Amino acid sequence: MKRLLNRIWQLAVGLVISLCLGSCFDMPEATDTPEGNLKALWQIIDEHYCFLDYKHVNWDEVRSRYFKKLNPKMTQQQLMEVMAAMLSELKDGHVNLYTSYDVARYWHWYEDYPRCLDEGLRQQYLGSDYKIAAGLKYRILDDNVGYLVYESFASPIGEGNISDALYLMRSCNGLIVDVRGNSGGLLTNAEQLASHFTNERRHVGYVTYKTGPGHNDFATPMAEYLDPSTGYRWQKPVVVLTNRECYSACNIFVRDMKELPDVTILGDQTGGGSGMPFSAELPNGWAVRFSASPSFDAKMQQIEFGIEPDERCLLDSAVALQGRDSMIERARTLLNQP
């Protein structure tokens, strides 16, 4: 409960700051025209997006380039294409433009990399008699290694679900936590799961918020801590399987787990997505979502572009043709070492 209240407090602080920014740095009156809408979108990002300088984006140059693509008679669909292309310059999966007929999105943070996940193979390891605890799927493999899959942090889990699942696997040599393909969801779910793997409070990172329209106007970073669960806590080695689709709340989960003893992160670098998103509305009613508050690891390093694994291990296609997942097999080898 303390952990949940702390997260709610942090979110509330960020929301209050965001609302204050909206009143202290009001947008100028913008008309519902192609130029007015693009100007509003550009300025929202310019004043409130949190990674412009970190990503070395020349936002003034972007403005000049994309305003040349406008004309007063362009259709809404054409305007949407221009706006979507401009937002894609940020290379951020948390940045979206919502209309009644489409959502502009950026997916190259994982599409340009090996997937390192075969759902059919994963299902073979789970078998047909796996157990389900809310959003968790799990079973004990034939070498006495526990195997737990969490496909989305948007799927609900509770303390009882996690505690019961881990307790039923307590006799295993170790545990594989497979979050490959998990593109995020609720941060509280990510922290709740991670809390079952530590016996003491641990410093896991920092978070900050925009405090003004300047690209580097940020509040003093606040330390983030992971508190141990009051439920059943795992006491044996853990391997967390990752790929480029591990994003947002899953990226934070991997960050937290990497700070814990007896935990090995195995797989590919995560996809990133450290900026907590906020939303704003354009004059024509379209909504834009953008990253407004960056998170860092315990060493105050940015995690927007992902987290490196402790051991890099990609899915071997030749081994996959034999009906085996090379990443799961490597995790089993590590957990069965004397």
Side-chain angles (χ1 to χ4, degrees):
M1 178 60 72
K2 181 179 179 182
R3 183 179 65 257
L4 178 60
L5 291 175
N6 182 58
R7 171 56 63 181
I8 292 174
W9 177 80
Q10 288 181 340
L11 291 173
V13 169
L15 180 59
V16 168
I17 291 173
S18 178
L19 291 174
C20 288
L21 288 177
S23 59
C24 297
F25 303 99
D26 286 332
M27 296 282 297
E29 286 294 328
T31 57
D32 184 8
T33 62
E35 182 177 358
N37 281 294
L38 190 64
K39 181 179 180 180
L41 177 62
W42 182 89
Q43 188 165 345
I44 287 169
I45 298 299
D46 183 60
E47 295 186 356
H48 302 296
Y49 183 69
C50 63
F51 294 122
L52 287 172
D53 281 7
Y54 175 64
K55 294 182 176 181
H56 305 293
V57 178
N58 186 336
W59 199 234
D60 289 325
E61 184 278 329
V62 169
R63 183 186 192 279
S64 176
R65 185 154 35 94
Y66 281 90
F67 268 75
K68 293 176 182 177
K69 300 177 183 291
L70 298 179
N71 74 75
K73 296 182 179 180
M74 69 193 312
T75 66
Q76 292 290 288
Q77 289 81 6
Q78 290 170 331
L79 177 60
M80 167 71 160
E81 290 177 5
V82 171
M83 288 183 167
M86 185 176 78
L87 292 176
S88 70
E89 301 274 352
L90 302 174
K91 297 179 172 58
D92 191 329
H94 274 148
V95 175
N96 303 103
L97 182 64
Y98 298 89
T99 74
S100 60
Y101 61 87
D102 199 6
V103 177
R105 64 270 184 190
Y106 181 85
W107 286 345
H108 292 295
W109 50 268
Y110 74 89
E111 288 181 332
D112 292 343
Y113 301 91
R115 183 142 191 258
C116 295
L117 173 62
D118 183 319
E119 284 93 346
L121 276 180
R122 181 155 74 181
Q123 190 58 49
Q124 287 183 36
Y125 282 85
L126 280 172
S128 59
D129 58 345
Y130 64 88
K131 300 183 186 301
I132 301 173
L136 306 175
K137 301 176 182 178
Y138 67 100
R139 68 165 301 164
I140 299 175
L141 302 177
D142 56 15
D143 59 349
N144 200 39
V145 166
Y147 182 52
L148 185 148
V149 176
Y150 195 10
E151 296 169 307
S152 173
F153 282 109
S155 299
I157 52 172
E159 287 288 314
N161 302 127
I162 305 169
S163 291
D164 289 347
L166 295 180
Y167 182 77
L168 288 173
M169 293 187 286
R170 67 191 183 281
S171 63
C172 293
N173 300 332
L175 178 67
I176 300 170
V177 179
D178 192 344
V179 289
R180 290 176 296 172
N182 187 325
S183 60
L186 297 177
L187 277 175
T188 49
N189 287 341
E191 292 168 346
Q192 191 170 48
L193 180 57
S195 73
H196 287 260
F197 299 97
T198 183
N199 292 319
E200 60 186 54
R201 192 180 207 220
R202 292 187 179 273
H203 175 219
V204 292
Y206 296 90
V207 65
T208 186
Y209 304 94
K210 288 296 299 291
T211 57
H215 293 179
N216 289 300
D217 290 343
F218 291 104
T220 300
M222 295 186 294
E224 293 190 298
Y225 295 90
L226 181 68
D227 291 311
S229 169
T230 56
Y232 184 84
R233 296 195 294 271
W234 187 261
Q235 305 296 321
K236 296 180 181 180
V238 178
V239 174
V240 179
L241 298 184
T242 60
N243 69 349
R244 285 281 179 165
E245 289 181 67
C246 294
Y247 196 74
S248 193
C250 189
N251 195 52
I252 295 295
F253 172 75
V254 174
R255 178 200 72 174
D256 293 357
M257 293 294 285
K258 195 165 185 176
E259 294 298 324
L260 305 184
D262 293 326
V263 174
T264 300
I265 310 301
L266 176 74
D268 199 0
Q269 179 176 320
T270 62
S274 71
M276 200 177 298
F278 286 93
S279 298
E281 186 173 314
L282 302 182
N284 63 0
W286 293 353
V288 57
R289 185 178 79 150
F290 54 93
S291 298
S293 51
S295 293
F296 305 82
D297 66 15
K299 297 179 179 64
M300 197 59 196
Q301 300 299 309
Q302 286 270 11
I303 58 172
E304 168 64 9
F305 288 126
I307 298 168
E308 289 283 350
D310 296 314
E311 181 179 325
R312 184 174 172 81
C313 178
L314 305 183
L315 191 70
D316 188 316
S317 57
V319 175
L321 289 174
Q322 300 171 16
R324 291 181 295 130
D325 185 312
S326 56
M327 297 172 70
I328 295 176
E329 293 302 324
R330 176 57 182 161
R332 295 171 80 173
T333 297
L334 291 175
L335 293 171
N336 281 312
Q337 288 177 347

